[in-house]
Amino acid sequence: MTLRRTLTALALCMMALTLFMGCVEPGPPMPPPPMVETPPPPSGPPHYFVTVSGLALRQGPTTSAPQVGTLEFNDEVMVLETSSGWARVEDPRRNRTGWASMRYLQPMPANQPQYVPRRRSTPAPTPKEPPKPAESPKAM
């Protein structure tokens, strides 16, 4: 009998709560969540950093183009256009524009310069053939 009374009391409480909730006026509507504004993407050309010491800045996108300057390690440049692994960059500190290899540019500053093996400007010497032994005099 106790279980029956408990369940009846619980049912009456639920009905009273439901009736009470129906009589209460709703409050003002919740304000909309604040809009989070994302910053606009940076306008202008992307910025890159030089990863080597002494990167040649050239007139055209090839190693045979004349050199117009040199970029140093972690110099910040703006990439204006790209072509076949080369980038036309602007060096705003020195007010220069030229072409540099994209291989040596990255979007973040580097901790230390990248190692680049130097090419020899003169061809390596060809090995000489060992001297031929002198012929021994012939006996008569």
Side-chain angles (χ1 to χ4, degrees), residues 5-80:
R5 285 184 186 174
T6 305
L7 289 176
T8 304
L10 186 59
L12 286 173
C13 285
M14 292 295 286
M15 285 192 294
L17 186 59
T18 304
L19 181 63
F20 178 73
M21 293 300 288
C23 294
V24 175
E25 290 186 29
M30 295 279 295
M35 296 294 291
V36 177
E37 292 186 31
T38 57
S43 60
H47 290 251
Y48 278 76
F49 294 87
V50 178
T51 62
V52 294
S53 296
L55 177 61
L57 191 62
R58 300 185 175 275
Q59 283 184 356
T62 176
T63 55
S64 61
Q67 187 171 337
V68 295
T70 303
L71 299 171
E72 295 303 321
F73 174 66
N74 269 346
D75 275 354
E76 184 175 4
V77 295
M78 294 182 295
V79 174
L80 305 174

Side-chain angles (χ1 to χ4, degrees), residues 85-140:
W86 288 81
R88 189 167 71 88
V89 298
E90 179 182 341
D91 181 2
R93 284 187 356 181
R94 296 177 188 96
N95 198 23
R96 291 187 298 195
T97 302
W99 290 85
S101 175
M102 282 294 292
R103 179 184 306 173
Y104 307 114
L105 300 175
Q106 69 182 22
M108 301 295 292
N111 292 332
Q112 63 184 28
Q114 175 183 347
Y115 172 74
V116 179
R118 300 283 180 201
R119 285 197 275 173
R120 291 185 177 181
S121 58
T122 58
T126 57
K128 295 181 180 179
E129 292 183 25
K132 294 181 182 178
E135 291 185 29
S136 56
K138 295 183 180 178
M140 290 210 203

